[in-house]
Structures are given as C-alpha cells and as structure tokens.
Amino acid sequence: MKREHSISVKNLTKKFGDFTAVDAISFTVKKGEIFGFLGANGAGKTTAMKMLIGISKPTSGEAEVAGFDVYKSTEKIKKNIGYMSQKFALYDDLTVRENAQFFGGIYGLSKKVIKERTQAFISELGIDDIADHLVGSLPLGWKQKLAFSVALLHRPQIIFLDEPTGGVDPITRRQFWEMIYKQAHQGTTIFVTTHYMDEAEYCDRVSIMVAGKIEALDSPENLRKQFAVNSMNEVFLKLARG
Amino acid sequence: MSIRLNNISKSYGKVKAVQAISFEVNQGEIFGLIGPDGAGKTTLFRILTTLLLPDIGDAQVDGKDVVKDYKAIRNHVGYMPGRFSLYQDLSVEENLDFFATIFGTSIEANYELIEDIYTQIEPFKKRRAGDLSGGMKQKLALSCALIHKPNVLFLDEPTTGVDPVSRKEFWEMLKRLQAKGITILVSTPYMDEAALCDRIALIQEGKILEIDTPHNIAARFPLHLYNIAAADTYRLIQDLKAYTQAHSVFPFGKWVHYADKRSDFDPVDLRNYLEKKNHKNIVIERTAPSIEDTFMELAQHE
C-alpha cells in the first residue's frame, strides 16, 4: 500500500455471530482529502469506523490507517489520529483550558506545547473570554468547535468526525465546515460521517454504505451524474431505499 | 384551537430558557418548532405536556389549562421526548403493553392507529427495546406515544441523528396521522423537514424569530440570492467574504449562497472580481431563498 494514502482498506469485514455488519469493504483515502462516510442507521458505519480507529478487531480483510496495521498496531493508530463525535466531545465540568490540558496530556504532549497550542486555537477562535468557563455552560455549537480544536492538539494525520454537527444551528454548522476545509488545506485527512446531505456535498469524495457494503463511492458531482439527480439527498434516497 | 401559548417565560437560575412565547396551533395542524440545540424547544414541550411549570404566562392544550387541568391533559396527549425514554429492559411488546395499561386501554383497542407503524417493528416484538436500532427505537417510541389515541401529539426532535431515508419514512407516517385528525407539534433542527410542516416557528435563544407557513418564511428573505460556484470552494468562500459588498456568504450544498448589500447589484462586477482572484469555472446564477436562508438571515441579526 502506498503512503500517499492516509487510509487503505481492502475487503474489511466484521461479523457478529451470523450477522455480517461490515461486508468486505474496500476504499482508499488520500492525504488531505475530505472523505464523507455515509449510510443509513444500521448500515455498518460505526462498526467500520471502530475498526479503523483501532478499537474493534476485524474478522477478516486488511486495513492501514496513518501507515499502521489495524490488527497489529492499534496503539500507534490511536496516537496518530484524532477523534470526535457528537455524543462525546469534551468534559462538561472542566473548563476549555482544562479539557485541552487533559486531552493533550493523554497524548503525551509537554505542558509547554499544550499551553502554546491551546492559546493558539483560543486566539484563532477569538474566545479568550470563555477559555476559563466550564464547557457545560457553553452552547452546543461552541462545544463542537472547541472539541474539534482539542482533537487536533496532538496534530494527528487523520481526524475522524462522527456526526460532528448533529443538532447544531445552521450558521455554526457552516463555521464548523470552514474549520474542516481549513484543516484539510493544511494537509490533515478528514474522515466524516453526517446525516446532513448538504454537508455530503462539501466532501471531496463520498462513500455510501448499504447493509454492510459500500454501494457507491465517488465525488458528489460524479454521484449526482451517475444517478441522474440534482442533489446528494436524492442519491442517498435512491441507493438506500433500493 | 388545539394548542395556545400566551406570553410563556421560563428561566433556570440565570438562564432564560424561553422568553415571552406566544403562538397558537390549529386543530389537525402540523406545527414545527425549528431551531438549534438550546433554543428552548424542549422547555416548551415540557410546559405543554404539564411536566414543567412556566414562570410567567399561560397555556392551553386541547382546551385545558396546563397548570389547573394537568391530569386531564395527560390523558389526551402523546409525548415523544428527545431522549429515548422507554424501558430498555422490556421487550418491544412489553413496552407497548405497559403504556396501554397505564392509560387504561389495550394494544388491541387502538391497534388501528398504530398498525401502520407497529407492523414495521412487530417482527422484533420479543427483542429488548435497548437492543433496537435507532430507527426502530423511534418507531416504538411513536407507537407508545399513540397507544391511548391522543388528540395532540408532541414530538421533540424525533429525527435527530436519524438517516435521511428513515427521516422521510417518519414524515410520511406523520402525514397519515395528521389525516386522522391528530394535531402535531414537532421540533427539528433539520430545515428540510420544516418545509413539510403547515406552519413553523423559527426559534433561537428562547425567542421566536418568525411564525408563518414555510413558503412565506422563505419568501421573507430580504435580498436577491445567488448560487455561486468555482473550482476551489474553500478559496471561493474566503474571497467572497473579503468582497466589500458582501452581505452574506454561506456554503449551501454544492453552491455558495451569496447576497449583496447593493440594491443595484450586477453579477458582472462580482465575476470580474473572482476572475482577478484567479478563480476557474465560475458560475453565478439567481436562486430562490429557502427556509434555511431566512433562518440564518434572521439569526445573524439577532
């Protein structure tokens, strides 16, 4: 597998008893690409993502993430990726700075580096006034933007975003995507799931999982052409409804 | 009138959750509360379902007062809270039977109302509710909220985190319930679902920004709106924002939505500007504003 790929997956499969949750999926994600990982609830996205971030062992198949094997080098994978989800982002009863210290510490960054990088994202977001507030007191939109910044503290090669904008207001959702764009331009690979089909249009390429298999994989433009429709929403409805 | 709120306010300590909210929902209407997390939607649901007392104001549901007649209201409304709140350790069938029994009825007595939804999860009726997929949990929760044949249905973000296919099916179910005369108050953060309501209230930070039909709300966008595209979207957004006459710039699916400050805006000026910035494959075309455009416009100026 070539190293210009951040993620390479070949016939990756996960079975639970008789049930095949992920059925021989194959794809590659380029460095600095924004890769949208879509699918209906229960299609196998979460299971696939768990294998890629090194917390679930595949039943069969191959995969390399950030250059590391998903069977043998799960700890190295964890050090080289970032992860945030809608369900778990930051600790509500710690302040913004404390959260950064905590997560930076977990990744083994020195106090000095944590302090510098924390101040850098605080200044960039223009939030000096709330940096010492408890995260629980902040609006959800802010929490998600901060969680993204904290997940990048250790400068991962790849960041996995699991429905990062669920329930977030339309303006903040767009600000969040601008942060994603910016990060991708700096070379970070973005692997993102979403149920907002307008967000699928912002990805460089999109895969759509149906019942454990990847049924479509291309740029949003090519997928719209392939299915002869005007939006990713229609592509999704056509595919997932069969 | 099925639901009426008059000047309702509620604070938690210093936090003003909802402020002076008034609106009315007609019998048999699907009325949407549209707004982000923390807008105060859940507080309104809890007040209307008699689970929370307002600080100020009064409200009636199905002709009954939410404070004085709370017991009567509880018998005639169905409530599906945002967080899955059925018994995880009971099976699908046991949950439904439990809720029917509490309301002094049986699954059989009102089966006709839930049949359409329940048949989709019936193959799994012996499965524990905690083991269901997201879409199936949602269908079970709706069945439980309907089992006593309520006149008014309260649905707090029933589709958050649900994929587009299941969301579409869910809304088809709501339309069929509406056809049976049930009034539905539903909240959602998805603007495409707002378009499916008869009327909507846009809500943010505890205040109502606007109430009207989806069509009228979209039409309220105050400026001409343009779809813009170019080869490099990231750079396009940055350059549009830096354009001195830009009123608003928001990525919108495959387009960037752009509104200009000038009443005599000529797209040719903008095209020249983008060409000078070395953009390729530039497209600029007029487009009709959507509910989401109006929402962002109103929210921006709050």
Side-chain angles (χ1 to χ4, degrees), chain B residues 241-292:
Chain B
K241 283 189 170 177
Y243 191 54
T244 48
Q245 298 296 338
H247 169 79
S248 61
V249 177
F250 289 116
F252 227 91
K254 60 181 169 172
W255 300 102
V256 176
H257 277 187
Y258 173 84
D260 196 274
K261 286 176 190 162
R262 293 164 291 186
S263 54
D264 60 343
F265 169 62
D266 185 348
V268 173
D269 297 341
L270 182 61
R271 179 177 288 276
N272 291 338
Y273 165 78
L274 292 174
E275 277 170 357
K276 269 190 204 127
K277 294 274 179 186
N278 288 318
H279 282 282
K280 303 277 178 264
N281 309 332
I282 300 166
V283 181
I284 302 177
E285 58 179 46
R286 269 290 289 277
T287 188
S290 67
I291 296 165
E292 192 157 7

Short mmCIF file of all heavy atoms in Angstrom, two decimals, chain B residues 241-292:
data_model
loop_
_atom_site.label_atom_id
_atom_site.label_comp_id
_atom_site.label_asym_id
_atom_site.label_seq_id
_atom_site.Cartn_x
_atom_site.Cartn_y
_atom_site.Cartn_z
N LYS B 241 -16.14 36.36 1.11
CA LYS B 241 -16.26 37.04 2.41
C LYS B 241 -15.46 38.33 2.43
O LYS B 241 -15.82 39.30 3.10
CB LYS B 241 -15.79 36.13 3.54
CG LYS B 241 -16.82 35.09 3.88
CD LYS B 241 -16.42 34.35 5.14
CE LYS B 241 -17.58 33.49 5.61
NZ LYS B 241 -17.22 32.71 6.80
N ALA B 242 -14.35 38.33 1.69
CA ALA B 242 -13.48 39.51 1.67
C ALA B 242 -14.01 40.59 0.71
O ALA B 242 -13.56 41.73 0.73
CB ALA B 242 -12.07 39.10 1.25
N TYR B 243 -14.99 40.24 -0.12
CA TYR B 243 -15.57 41.19 -1.08
C TYR B 243 -16.34 42.26 -0.30
O TYR B 243 -17.22 41.93 0.51
CB TYR B 243 -16.49 40.41 -2.03
CG TYR B 243 -16.98 41.17 -3.23
CD1 TYR B 243 -16.09 41.80 -4.10
CD2 TYR B 243 -18.34 41.24 -3.52
CE1 TYR B 243 -16.54 42.47 -5.22
CE2 TYR B 243 -18.81 41.91 -4.64
CZ TYR B 243 -17.91 42.53 -5.48
OH TYR B 243 -18.36 43.20 -6.59
N THR B 244 -16.02 43.52 -0.54
CA THR B 244 -16.54 44.57 0.35
C THR B 244 -18.07 44.71 0.31
O THR B 244 -18.66 45.16 1.27
CB THR B 244 -15.92 45.94 0.01
OG1 THR B 244 -16.02 46.13 -1.40
CG2 THR B 244 -14.48 46.01 0.45
N GLN B 245 -18.69 44.28 -0.78
CA GLN B 245 -20.14 44.46 -0.90
C GLN B 245 -20.92 43.21 -0.45
O GLN B 245 -22.14 43.16 -0.60
CB GLN B 245 -20.51 44.80 -2.35
CG GLN B 245 -19.92 46.09 -2.86
CD GLN B 245 -20.44 47.32 -2.09
OE1 GLN B 245 -21.50 47.28 -1.47
NE2 GLN B 245 -19.69 48.40 -2.13
N ALA B 246 -20.21 42.23 0.10
CA ALA B 246 -20.90 41.00 0.51
C ALA B 246 -21.79 41.25 1.72
O ALA B 246 -21.36 41.84 2.71
CB ALA B 246 -19.88 39.92 0.83
N HIS B 247 -23.03 40.80 1.63
CA HIS B 247 -23.95 40.87 2.77
C HIS B 247 -23.90 39.56 3.56
O HIS B 247 -23.77 39.54 4.76
CB HIS B 247 -25.37 41.14 2.28
CG HIS B 247 -26.42 40.97 3.35
ND1 HIS B 247 -26.65 41.94 4.30
CD2 HIS B 247 -27.26 39.94 3.64
CE1 HIS B 247 -27.61 41.51 5.12
NE2 HIS B 247 -27.98 40.31 4.75
N SER B 248 -24.00 38.43 2.84
CA SER B 248 -23.87 37.13 3.50
C SER B 248 -23.28 36.11 2.53
O SER B 248 -23.53 36.17 1.32
CB SER B 248 -25.21 36.64 4.03
OG SER B 248 -26.14 36.47 2.98
N VAL B 249 -22.49 35.21 3.08
CA VAL B 249 -21.81 34.16 2.30
C VAL B 249 -21.92 32.86 3.09
O VAL B 249 -21.35 32.75 4.17
CB VAL B 249 -20.32 34.50 2.10
CG1 VAL B 249 -19.60 33.37 1.35
CG2 VAL B 249 -20.15 35.83 1.37
N PHE B 250 -22.68 31.91 2.56
CA PHE B 250 -22.80 30.63 3.26
C PHE B 250 -22.69 29.47 2.29
O PHE B 250 -23.39 29.45 1.27
CB PHE B 250 -24.16 30.53 3.98
CG PHE B 250 -24.30 31.43 5.17
CD1 PHE B 250 -25.24 32.45 5.17
CD2 PHE B 250 -23.51 31.25 6.29
CE1 PHE B 250 -25.38 33.28 6.27
CE2 PHE B 250 -23.64 32.08 7.40
CZ PHE B 250 -24.58 33.10 7.38
N PRO B 251 -21.82 28.50 2.58
CA PRO B 251 -21.83 27.29 1.75
C PRO B 251 -23.20 26.61 1.85
O PRO B 251 -23.80 26.59 2.93
CB PRO B 251 -20.74 26.41 2.35
CG PRO B 251 -20.41 27.00 3.68
CD PRO B 251 -20.84 28.43 3.66
N PHE B 252 -23.69 26.12 0.74
CA PHE B 252 -25.04 25.56 0.69
C PHE B 252 -25.02 24.37 -0.26
O PHE B 252 -25.26 24.51 -1.45
CB PHE B 252 -26.00 26.64 0.16
CG PHE B 252 -27.24 26.76 0.98
CD1 PHE B 252 -27.30 27.65 2.04
CD2 PHE B 252 -28.34 25.97 0.70
CE1 PHE B 252 -28.44 27.76 2.80
CE2 PHE B 252 -29.49 26.07 1.47
CZ PHE B 252 -29.55 26.97 2.51
N GLY B 253 -24.70 23.20 0.27
CA GLY B 253 -24.58 22.05 -0.61
C GLY B 253 -23.50 22.30 -1.64
O GLY B 253 -22.40 22.73 -1.30
N LYS B 254 -23.82 22.07 -2.92
CA LYS B 254 -22.78 22.21 -3.94
C LYS B 254 -22.52 23.68 -4.29
O LYS B 254 -21.60 24.00 -5.04
CB LYS B 254 -23.15 21.41 -5.19
CG LYS B 254 -24.45 21.83 -5.83
CD LYS B 254 -24.76 20.98 -7.05
CE LYS B 254 -26.18 21.24 -7.51
NZ LYS B 254 -26.51 20.60 -8.79
N TRP B 255 -23.36 24.60 -3.76
CA TRP B 255 -23.22 26.01 -4.06
C TRP B 255 -22.74 26.80 -2.85
O TRP B 255 -22.79 26.31 -1.74
CB TRP B 255 -24.56 26.62 -4.48
CG TRP B 255 -25.19 26.00 -5.68
CD1 TRP B 255 -26.22 25.10 -5.70
CD2 TRP B 255 -24.84 26.23 -7.05
NE1 TRP B 255 -26.53 24.77 -6.99
CE2 TRP B 255 -25.70 25.44 -7.83
CE3 TRP B 255 -23.87 27.03 -7.68
CZ2 TRP B 255 -25.63 25.42 -9.22
CZ3 TRP B 255 -23.82 27.01 -9.06
CH2 TRP B 255 -24.68 26.21 -9.82
N VAL B 256 -22.33 28.03 -3.13
CA VAL B 256 -22.20 29.01 -2.05
C VAL B 256 -23.33 30.02 -2.28
O VAL B 256 -23.51 30.52 -3.39
CB VAL B 256 -20.83 29.73 -2.10
CG1 VAL B 256 -20.77 30.81 -1.02
CG2 VAL B 256 -19.70 28.73 -1.92
N HIS B 257 -24.14 30.26 -1.24
CA HIS B 257 -25.21 31.26 -1.35
C HIS B 257 -24.64 32.64 -1.02
O HIS B 257 -24.02 32.83 0.03
CB HIS B 257 -26.37 30.93 -0.41
CG HIS B 257 -27.32 29.93 -0.98
ND1 HIS B 257 -28.50 29.58 -0.39
CD2 HIS B 257 -27.25 29.20 -2.12
CE1 HIS B 257 -29.13 28.68 -1.13
NE2 HIS B 257 -28.38 28.42 -2.18
N TYR B 258 -24.88 33.56 -1.92
CA TYR B 258 -24.31 34.89 -1.78
C TYR B 258 -25.42 35.95 -1.90
O TYR B 258 -26.24 35.88 -2.82
CB TYR B 258 -23.26 35.13 -2.87
CG TYR B 258 -22.73 36.54 -2.90
CD1 TYR B 258 -21.69 36.92 -2.06
CD2 TYR B 258 -23.27 37.50 -3.75
CE1 TYR B 258 -21.20 38.21 -2.06
CE2 TYR B 258 -22.79 38.79 -3.77
CZ TYR B 258 -21.75 39.15 -2.92
OH TYR B 258 -21.28 40.43 -2.92
N ALA B 259 -25.43 36.89 -0.96
CA ALA B 259 -26.33 38.05 -1.09
C ALA B 259 -25.46 39.30 -1.02
O ALA B 259 -24.49 39.36 -0.26
CB ALA B 259 -27.37 38.05 0.02
N ASP B 260 -25.82 40.27 -1.84
CA ASP B 260 -25.03 41.50 -1.96
C ASP B 260 -25.75 42.66 -1.26
O ASP B 260 -26.97 42.71 -1.21
CB ASP B 260 -24.83 41.83 -3.45
CG ASP B 260 -23.72 42.84 -3.66
OD1 ASP B 260 -24.00 44.05 -3.59
OD2 ASP B 260 -22.57 42.40 -3.89
N LYS B 261 -24.96 43.58 -0.71
CA LYS B 261 -25.53 44.73 0.00
C LYS B 261 -26.27 45.69 -0.93
O LYS B 261 -27.20 46.37 -0.53
CB LYS B 261 -24.41 45.55 0.67
CG LYS B 261 -23.81 44.90 1.91
CD LYS B 261 -22.65 45.76 2.40
CE LYS B 261 -21.87 45.03 3.47
NZ LYS B 261 -20.53 45.61 3.65
N ARG B 262 -25.81 45.77 -2.19
CA ARG B 262 -26.33 46.80 -3.09
C ARG B 262 -27.67 46.40 -3.71
O ARG B 262 -27.85 45.25 -4.10
CB ARG B 262 -25.32 47.05 -4.23
CG ARG B 262 -24.03 47.67 -3.75
CD ARG B 262 -22.96 47.55 -4.80
NE ARG B 262 -22.54 46.15 -4.96
CZ ARG B 262 -21.53 45.77 -5.73
NH1 ARG B 262 -20.84 46.66 -6.41
NH2 ARG B 262 -21.21 44.50 -5.82
N SER B 263 -28.58 47.36 -3.84
CA SER B 263 -29.86 47.08 -4.48
C SER B 263 -29.68 46.96 -6.00
O SER B 263 -30.44 46.30 -6.68
CB SER B 263 -30.88 48.15 -4.14
OG SER B 263 -30.35 49.42 -4.48
N ASP B 264 -28.64 47.62 -6.53
CA ASP B 264 -28.41 47.56 -7.98
C ASP B 264 -27.22 46.65 -8.31
O ASP B 264 -26.45 46.92 -9.22
CB ASP B 264 -28.15 48.97 -8.53
CG ASP B 264 -26.93 49.62 -7.87
OD1 ASP B 264 -26.50 49.12 -6.80
OD2 ASP B 264 -26.41 50.61 -8.42
N PHE B 265 -27.11 45.56 -7.54
CA PHE B 265 -26.00 44.62 -7.73
C PHE B 265 -25.98 44.04 -9.14
O PHE B 265 -27.00 43.59 -9.66
CB PHE B 265 -26.13 43.49 -6.70
CG PHE B 265 -25.21 42.33 -6.93
CD1 PHE B 265 -23.83 42.50 -6.89
CD2 PHE B 265 -25.71 41.06 -7.19
CE1 PHE B 265 -22.98 41.42 -7.09
CE2 PHE B 265 -24.87 39.97 -7.39
CZ PHE B 265 -23.50 40.17 -7.34
N ASP B 266 -24.80 44.09 -9.75
CA ASP B 266 -24.63 43.49 -11.07
C ASP B 266 -23.64 42.33 -10.95
O ASP B 266 -22.48 42.53 -10.61
CB ASP B 266 -24.10 44.55 -12.04
CG ASP B 266 -24.02 44.01 -13.46
OD1 ASP B 266 -24.16 42.78 -13.65
OD2 ASP B 266 -23.81 44.84 -14.37
N PRO B 267 -24.10 41.10 -11.23
CA PRO B 267 -23.22 39.93 -11.08
C PRO B 267 -21.92 40.04 -11.88
O PRO B 267 -20.93 39.40 -11.52
CB PRO B 267 -24.07 38.77 -11.60
CG PRO B 267 -25.48 39.23 -11.48
CD PRO B 267 -25.46 40.72 -11.65
N VAL B 268 -21.92 40.86 -12.92
CA VAL B 268 -20.71 41.00 -13.73
C VAL B 268 -19.55 41.55 -12.89
O VAL B 268 -18.40 41.12 -13.02
CB VAL B 268 -20.97 41.92 -14.97
CG1 VAL B 268 -19.67 42.20 -15.72
CG2 VAL B 268 -22.01 41.27 -15.87
N ASP B 269 -19.85 42.50 -11.99
CA ASP B 269 -18.81 43.05 -11.11
C ASP B 269 -18.17 41.95 -10.27
O ASP B 269 -16.95 41.90 -10.09
CB ASP B 269 -19.41 44.09 -10.15
CG ASP B 269 -19.96 45.30 -10.89
OD1 ASP B 269 -19.57 45.49 -12.06
OD2 ASP B 269 -20.79 46.02 -10.30
N LEU B 270 -19.04 41.09 -9.75
CA LEU B 270 -18.55 40.02 -8.89
C LEU B 270 -17.72 39.02 -9.71
O LEU B 270 -16.66 38.57 -9.26
CB LEU B 270 -19.72 39.30 -8.21
CG LEU B 270 -19.36 38.18 -7.24
CD1 LEU B 270 -18.51 38.69 -6.09
CD2 LEU B 270 -20.62 37.51 -6.70
N ARG B 271 -18.20 38.73 -10.91
CA ARG B 271 -17.45 37.81 -11.77
C ARG B 271 -16.05 38.35 -12.06
O ARG B 271 -15.06 37.62 -11.97
CB ARG B 271 -18.23 37.57 -13.08
CG ARG B 271 -17.51 36.63 -14.05
CD ARG B 271 -18.34 36.37 -15.29
NE ARG B 271 -19.48 35.50 -15.02
CZ ARG B 271 -19.41 34.17 -14.99
NH1 ARG B 271 -18.26 33.55 -15.19
NH2 ARG B 271 -20.48 33.45 -14.74
N ASN B 272 -15.97 39.66 -12.37
CA ASN B 272 -14.67 40.28 -12.62
C ASN B 272 -13.75 40.15 -11.41
O ASN B 272 -12.56 39.84 -11.55
CB ASN B 272 -14.84 41.77 -12.97
CG ASN B 272 -15.49 41.93 -14.34
OD1 ASN B 272 -15.45 41.01 -15.17
ND2 ASN B 272 -16.11 43.08 -14.57
N TYR B 273 -14.33 40.41 -10.25
CA TYR B 273 -13.56 40.31 -9.02
C TYR B 273 -13.00 38.89 -8.83
O TYR B 273 -11.82 38.70 -8.53
CB TYR B 273 -14.45 40.70 -7.83
CG TYR B 273 -13.92 40.33 -6.46
CD1 TYR B 273 -12.92 41.08 -5.83
CD2 TYR B 273 -14.44 39.22 -5.77
CE1 TYR B 273 -12.46 40.74 -4.57
CE2 TYR B 273 -13.98 38.88 -4.51
CZ TYR B 273 -12.99 39.63 -3.91
OH TYR B 273 -12.53 39.29 -2.67
N LEU B 274 -13.88 37.88 -9.05
CA LEU B 274 -13.44 36.49 -8.85
C LEU B 274 -12.42 36.08 -9.90
O LEU B 274 -11.48 35.32 -9.60
CB LEU B 274 -14.65 35.54 -8.87
CG LEU B 274 -15.61 35.68 -7.68
CD1 LEU B 274 -16.84 34.80 -7.88
CD2 LEU B 274 -14.91 35.33 -6.36
N GLU B 275 -12.59 36.60 -11.12
CA GLU B 275 -11.60 36.28 -12.17
C GLU B 275 -10.24 36.87 -11.82
O GLU B 275 -9.21 36.22 -12.02
CB GLU B 275 -12.10 36.78 -13.54
CG GLU B 275 -13.07 35.78 -14.16
CD GLU B 275 -13.78 36.33 -15.39
OE1 GLU B 275 -13.57 37.51 -15.75
OE2 GLU B 275 -14.58 35.56 -15.98
N LYS B 276 -10.25 38.07 -11.27
CA LYS B 276 -8.98 38.69 -10.84
C LYS B 276 -8.30 37.87 -9.75
O LYS B 276 -7.08 37.87 -9.61
CB LYS B 276 -9.22 40.11 -10.31
CG LYS B 276 -9.11 41.15 -11.42
CD LYS B 276 -9.13 42.56 -10.83
CE LYS B 276 -9.59 43.52 -11.89
NZ LYS B 276 -10.70 44.37 -11.46
N LYS B 277 -9.11 37.19 -8.97
CA LYS B 277 -8.57 36.33 -7.90
C LYS B 277 -8.22 34.95 -8.43
O LYS B 277 -8.01 34.01 -7.64
CB LYS B 277 -9.60 36.20 -6.78
CG LYS B 277 -9.90 37.48 -6.02
CD LYS B 277 -8.92 37.69 -4.90
CE LYS B 277 -9.20 38.98 -4.15
NZ LYS B 277 -8.15 39.25 -3.15
N ASN B 278 -8.22 34.81 -9.76
CA ASN B 278 -7.81 33.56 -10.42
C ASN B 278 -8.74 32.38 -10.19
O ASN B 278 -8.29 31.23 -10.17
CB ASN B 278 -6.39 33.16 -9.98
CG ASN B 278 -5.38 34.08 -10.60
OD1 ASN B 278 -5.50 34.43 -11.78
ND2 ASN B 278 -4.40 34.51 -9.81
N HIS B 279 -10.01 32.64 -9.99
CA HIS B 279 -10.95 31.52 -9.86
C HIS B 279 -11.29 30.98 -11.25
O HIS B 279 -11.37 31.72 -12.22
CB HIS B 279 -12.22 31.96 -9.14
CG HIS B 279 -12.02 32.05 -7.66
ND1 HIS B 279 -12.00 30.94 -6.85
CD2 HIS B 279 -11.79 33.11 -6.85
CE1 HIS B 279 -11.78 31.31 -5.60
NE2 HIS B 279 -11.64 32.63 -5.58
N LYS B 280 -11.49 29.66 -11.30
CA LYS B 280 -11.82 28.99 -12.56
C LYS B 280 -13.24 28.42 -12.48
O LYS B 280 -13.75 28.16 -11.38
CB LYS B 280 -10.84 27.83 -12.81
CG LYS B 280 -9.38 28.27 -12.83
CD LYS B 280 -8.98 28.83 -14.20
CE LYS B 280 -7.55 29.31 -14.20
NZ LYS B 280 -7.40 30.77 -13.96
N ASN B 281 -13.83 28.18 -13.65
CA ASN B 281 -15.18 27.59 -13.75
C ASN B 281 -16.21 28.34 -12.89
O ASN B 281 -16.98 27.73 -12.15
CB ASN B 281 -15.18 26.11 -13.34
CG ASN B 281 -14.10 25.32 -14.04
OD1 ASN B 281 -13.72 25.66 -15.17
ND2 ASN B 281 -13.63 24.26 -13.41
N ILE B 282 -16.20 29.65 -12.99
CA ILE B 282 -17.10 30.45 -12.15
C ILE B 282 -18.53 30.36 -12.68
O ILE B 282 -18.78 30.53 -13.87
CB ILE B 282 -16.66 31.93 -12.14
CG1 ILE B 282 -15.24 32.04 -11.57
CG2 ILE B 282 -17.63 32.79 -11.34
CD1 ILE B 282 -14.59 33.39 -11.84
N VAL B 283 -19.46 30.07 -11.77
CA VAL B 283 -20.89 30.10 -12.10
C VAL B 283 -21.56 31.06 -11.13
O VAL B 283 -21.32 30.98 -9.91
CB VAL B 283 -21.54 28.70 -11.96
CG1 VAL B 283 -23.01 28.76 -12.34
CG2 VAL B 283 -20.80 27.68 -12.79
N ILE B 284 -22.38 31.98 -11.67
CA ILE B 284 -23.17 32.88 -10.81
C ILE B 284 -24.59 32.88 -11.36
O ILE B 284 -24.79 33.21 -12.53
CB ILE B 284 -22.62 34.33 -10.83
CG1 ILE B 284 -21.16 34.34 -10.38
CG2 ILE B 284 -23.46 35.23 -9.94
CD1 ILE B 284 -20.51 35.73 -10.43
N GLU B 285 -25.54 32.47 -10.56
CA GLU B 285 -26.93 32.45 -11.04
C GLU B 285 -27.89 32.77 -9.91
O GLU B 285 -27.63 32.46 -8.74
CB GLU B 285 -27.26 31.09 -11.67
CG GLU B 285 -27.06 29.93 -10.71
CD GLU B 285 -27.41 28.56 -11.29
OE1 GLU B 285 -27.00 28.26 -12.41
OE2 GLU B 285 -28.08 27.79 -10.57
N ARG B 286 -29.02 33.42 -10.26
CA ARG B 286 -30.04 33.74 -9.25
C ARG B 286 -30.65 32.45 -8.71
O ARG B 286 -30.82 31.48 -9.44
CB ARG B 286 -31.16 34.57 -9.87
CG ARG B 286 -30.96 36.07 -9.81
CD ARG B 286 -31.09 36.66 -8.42
NE ARG B 286 -32.45 36.67 -7.92
CZ ARG B 286 -33.36 37.60 -8.21
NH1 ARG B 286 -33.04 38.60 -8.99
NH2 ARG B 286 -34.57 37.54 -7.70
N THR B 287 -31.01 32.45 -7.43
CA THR B 287 -31.68 31.28 -6.89
C THR B 287 -32.76 31.73 -5.91
O THR B 287 -32.71 32.86 -5.42
CB THR B 287 -30.69 30.32 -6.21
OG1 THR B 287 -31.37 29.12 -5.86
CG2 THR B 287 -30.08 30.92 -4.95
N ALA B 288 -33.72 30.85 -5.64
CA ALA B 288 -34.79 31.19 -4.69
C ALA B 288 -34.34 30.86 -3.28
O ALA B 288 -33.78 29.80 -3.04
CB ALA B 288 -36.04 30.38 -5.04
N PRO B 289 -34.56 31.77 -2.33
CA PRO B 289 -34.16 31.51 -0.94
C PRO B 289 -34.97 30.36 -0.34
O PRO B 289 -36.12 30.15 -0.72
CB PRO B 289 -34.49 32.81 -0.22
CG PRO B 289 -34.76 33.82 -1.27
CD PRO B 289 -35.18 33.09 -2.49
N SER B 290 -34.35 29.64 0.58
CA SER B 290 -35.03 28.56 1.29
C SER B 290 -35.28 29.01 2.73
O SER B 290 -34.82 30.08 3.15
CB SER B 290 -34.16 27.30 1.28
OG SER B 290 -33.00 27.55 2.06
N ILE B 291 -35.95 28.17 3.50
CA ILE B 291 -36.20 28.46 4.91
C ILE B 291 -34.88 28.66 5.65
O ILE B 291 -34.74 29.54 6.50
CB ILE B 291 -36.99 27.31 5.56
CG1 ILE B 291 -38.36 27.21 4.92
CG2 ILE B 291 -37.12 27.50 7.06
CD1 ILE B 291 -39.06 25.91 5.22
N GLU B 292 -33.89 27.84 5.29
CA GLU B 292 -32.61 27.91 5.98
C GLU B 292 -31.93 29.26 5.73
O GLU B 292 -31.30 29.83 6.62
CB GLU B 292 -31.71 26.76 5.52
CG GLU B 292 -30.47 26.60 6.38
CD GLU B 292 -29.87 25.19 6.32
OE1 GLU B 292 -30.35 24.37 5.51
OE2 GLU B 292 -28.95 24.92 7.09
#
